[in-house]
C-alpha cells in the first residue's frame, strides 16, 4: 500500500500527515509506504515548517528529515491513495490528469467533504491541526485495512 498526503506547499499539513501516518503504520506492523507532496513548488527540497516540526516532536513524532516535493503526474502511478488536505488542492491535483483510474485514487483527507485548515498564518492552529490529522490517520489505517481485506 502506498499513500501520498498532499497540501499546498508541503511544509505544514502534509508533512504532519506523512510523519504521523508513517509512524502509526510502522507501529501497526504494516508494510505501507507513506509520502507527501505539495501542489506548489515554492518549498521544494526544504524541511517542514519549524512549527510543524515542533508540534510533531511535542507529540512524539519526528518529521525533521522530511523534505518538500511537488506533486506531479508520475505520482498517480506510484500511489494507491492520494489524500488531499483541502478542496483547492484537490482541484489542482485532479487538473493534472483526467484518467478515471487516477482520479479514483484522489480524495479529501477528511471525510464528509471537510478540509484541514492551513495553519501557516496562525501559530495557534498548529496543535489543533496536528490533533485532527493524528485522529484521522488512525481512522484511515483502519478504513484502508478493512478495504484491503475484502
Amino acid at each position: 500500500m502506498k499513500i501520498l498526503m498532499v497540501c499546498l506547499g508541503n511544509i505544514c499539513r502534509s508533512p504532519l500527515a506523512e510523519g504521523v501516518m508513517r509512524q502509526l503504520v510502522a507501529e501497526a506492523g504494516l508494510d505501507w509506504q507513506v509520502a507527501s507532496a505539495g501542489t506548489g513548488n515554492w518549498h521544494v527540497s526544504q524541511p517542514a515548517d519549524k512549527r510543524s516540526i515542533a508540534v510533531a516532536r511535542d507529540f512524539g513524532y519526528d518529521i525533521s528529515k522530511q523534505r518538500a516535493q511537488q506533486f506531479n503526474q508520475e505520482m498517480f502511478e506510484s500511489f494507491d491513495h492520494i489524500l488531499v488536505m483541502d478542496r483547492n488542492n484537490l482541484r489542482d491535483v485532479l487538473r493534472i490528469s483526467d484518467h478515471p483510474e487516477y482520479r479514483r485514487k484522489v480524495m479529501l483527507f477528511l471525510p464528509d467533504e471537510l478540509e484541514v485548515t492551513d495553519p501557516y498564518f496562525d501559530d495557534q492552529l498548529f496543535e489543533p491541526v496536528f490533533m485532527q490529522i493524528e485522529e484521522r490517520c488512525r481512522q484511515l489505517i483502519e478504513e484502508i485495512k478493512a478495504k484491503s481485506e475484502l
Side-chain angles (χ1 to χ4, degrees):
M1 185 67 54
K2 296 180 181 177
I3 302 167
L4 182 69
M5 309 297 190
V6 180
C7 70
L8 183 60
N10 194 210
I11 61 168
C12 294
R13 297 169 288 176
S14 58
L16 284 171
E18 175 187 351
V20 169
M21 183 67 96
R22 185 177 288 165
Q23 184 169 319
L24 294 175
V25 160
E27 289 171 0
L30 299 168
D31 185 26
W32 296 1
Q33 295 177 18
V34 183
S36 64
T39 56
N41 65 357
W42 312 280
H43 304 289
V44 170
S45 299
Q46 295 178 9
D49 186 287
K50 63 183 179 183
R51 298 163 295 177
S52 287
I53 292 170
V55 74
R57 184 182 54 244
D58 289 348
F59 288 92
Y61 299 88
D62 181 7
I63 65 168
S64 64
K65 292 176 180 57
Q66 293 175 209
R67 295 296 179 262
Q69 62 177 336
Q70 186 175 15
F71 184 84
N72 61 59
Q73 174 79 30
E74 290 76 36
M75 291 176 173
F76 285 113
E77 284 286 330
S78 301
F79 293 93
D80 303 302
H81 298 281
I82 300 170
L83 307 174
V84 184
M85 299 295 149
D86 62 51
R87 282 186 279 289
N88 286 336
N89 289 298
L90 177 67
R91 181 193 66 235
D92 292 342
V93 166
L94 292 174
R95 186 180 298 144
I96 294 173
S97 177
D98 60 0
H99 191 287
E101 180 183 335
Y102 291 162
R103 295 173 75 86
R104 280 192 292 274
K105 296 179 177 190
V106 182
M107 64 182 223
L108 285 170
F109 178 79
L110 293 176
D112 304 321
E113 300 296 312
L114 297 174
E115 298 179 301
V116 178
T117 302
D118 189 345
Y120 186 77
F121 294 106
D122 185 347
D123 293 353
Q124 302 305 311
L125 290 176
F126 278 84
E127 186 170 327
V129 163
F130 171 84
M131 300 301 288
Q132 183 180 46
I133 287 171
E134 184 183 46
E135 178 181 347
R136 182 61 178 147
C137 284
R138 292 182 190 283
Q139 294 168 352
L140 282 165
I141 289 170
E142 295 308 315
E143 289 173 16
I144 294 170
K145 277 177 28 182
K147 285 181 184 176
S148 65
E149 292 171 358
L150 296 177

PDB file of all heavy atoms in Angstrom, residues 144-150:
ATOM      1  N   ILE A 144      -8.539   1.692   5.522  1.00  0.00           N
ATOM      2  CA  ILE A 144      -7.784   1.112   4.413  1.00  0.00           C
ATOM      3  C   ILE A 144      -7.528  -0.379   4.653  1.00  0.00           C
ATOM      4  O   ILE A 144      -7.628  -1.189   3.725  1.00  0.00           O
ATOM      5  CB  ILE A 144      -6.477   1.902   4.177  1.00  0.00           C
ATOM      6  CG1 ILE A 144      -6.809   3.313   3.696  1.00  0.00           C
ATOM      7  CG2 ILE A 144      -5.587   1.181   3.175  1.00  0.00           C
ATOM      8  CD1 ILE A 144      -5.624   4.270   3.655  1.00  0.00           C
ATOM      9  N   LYS A 145      -7.214  -0.737   5.891  1.00  0.00           N
ATOM     10  CA  LYS A 145      -7.045  -2.165   6.197  1.00  0.00           C
ATOM     11  C   LYS A 145      -8.318  -2.939   5.901  1.00  0.00           C
ATOM     12  O   LYS A 145      -8.273  -4.012   5.297  1.00  0.00           O
ATOM     13  CB  LYS A 145      -6.666  -2.343   7.672  1.00  0.00           C
ATOM     14  CG  LYS A 145      -5.209  -2.157   7.963  1.00  0.00           C
ATOM     15  CD  LYS A 145      -4.815  -2.259   9.414  1.00  0.00           C
ATOM     16  CE  LYS A 145      -5.647  -3.104  10.310  1.00  0.00           C
ATOM     17  NZ  LYS A 145      -5.195  -3.099  11.719  1.00  0.00           N
ATOM     18  N   ALA A 146      -9.447  -2.403   6.312  1.00  0.00           N
ATOM     19  CA  ALA A 146     -10.729  -3.078   6.094  1.00  0.00           C
ATOM     20  C   ALA A 146     -11.016  -3.252   4.597  1.00  0.00           C
ATOM     21  O   ALA A 146     -11.464  -4.314   4.171  1.00  0.00           O
ATOM     22  CB  ALA A 146     -11.857  -2.316   6.783  1.00  0.00           C
ATOM     23  N   LYS A 147     -10.755  -2.226   3.807  1.00  0.00           N
ATOM     24  CA  LYS A 147     -10.988  -2.308   2.359  1.00  0.00           C
ATOM     25  C   LYS A 147     -10.048  -3.299   1.692  1.00  0.00           C
ATOM     26  O   LYS A 147     -10.436  -3.998   0.772  1.00  0.00           O
ATOM     27  CB  LYS A 147     -10.819  -0.936   1.709  1.00  0.00           C
ATOM     28  CG  LYS A 147     -11.967   0.001   1.962  1.00  0.00           C
ATOM     29  CD  LYS A 147     -11.748   1.319   1.282  1.00  0.00           C
ATOM     30  CE  LYS A 147     -12.864   2.297   1.606  1.00  0.00           C
ATOM     31  NZ  LYS A 147     -12.631   3.615   1.036  1.00  0.00           N
ATOM     32  N   SER A 148      -8.806  -3.371   2.156  1.00  0.00           N
ATOM     33  CA  SER A 148      -7.855  -4.268   1.512  1.00  0.00           C
ATOM     34  C   SER A 148      -8.094  -5.714   1.886  1.00  0.00           C
ATOM     35  O   SER A 148      -7.606  -6.621   1.228  1.00  0.00           O
ATOM     36  CB  SER A 148      -6.421  -3.838   1.852  1.00  0.00           C
ATOM     37  OG  SER A 148      -6.162  -3.982   3.231  1.00  0.00           O
ATOM     38  N   GLU A 149      -8.844  -5.953   2.967  1.00  0.00           N
ATOM     39  CA  GLU A 149      -9.162  -7.325   3.380  1.00  0.00           C
ATOM     40  C   GLU A 149     -10.351  -7.890   2.620  1.00  0.00           C
ATOM     41  O   GLU A 149     -10.620  -9.076   2.712  1.00  0.00           O
ATOM     42  CB  GLU A 149      -9.421  -7.363   4.888  1.00  0.00           C
ATOM     43  CG  GLU A 149      -8.162  -7.083   5.695  1.00  0.00           C
ATOM     44  CD  GLU A 149      -8.443  -6.905   7.177  1.00  0.00           C
ATOM     45  OE1 GLU A 149      -9.616  -6.964   7.613  1.00  0.00           O
ATOM     46  OE2 GLU A 149      -7.473  -6.677   7.927  1.00  0.00           O
ATOM     47  N   LEU A 150     -11.057  -7.037   1.892  1.00  0.00           N
ATOM     48  CA  LEU A 150     -12.233  -7.511   1.136  1.00  0.00           C
ATOM     49  C   LEU A 150     -11.840  -8.345  -0.061  1.00  0.00           C
ATOM     50  O   LEU A 150     -10.849  -8.254  -0.644  1.00  0.00           O
ATOM     51  CB  LEU A 150     -13.085  -6.315   0.682  1.00  0.00           C
ATOM     52  CG  LEU A 150     -13.712  -5.502   1.803  1.00  0.00           C
ATOM     53  CD1 LEU A 150     -14.458  -4.318   1.192  1.00  0.00           C
ATOM     54  CD2 LEU A 150     -14.668  -6.338   2.621  1.00  0.00           C
TER      55      LEU A 150
END
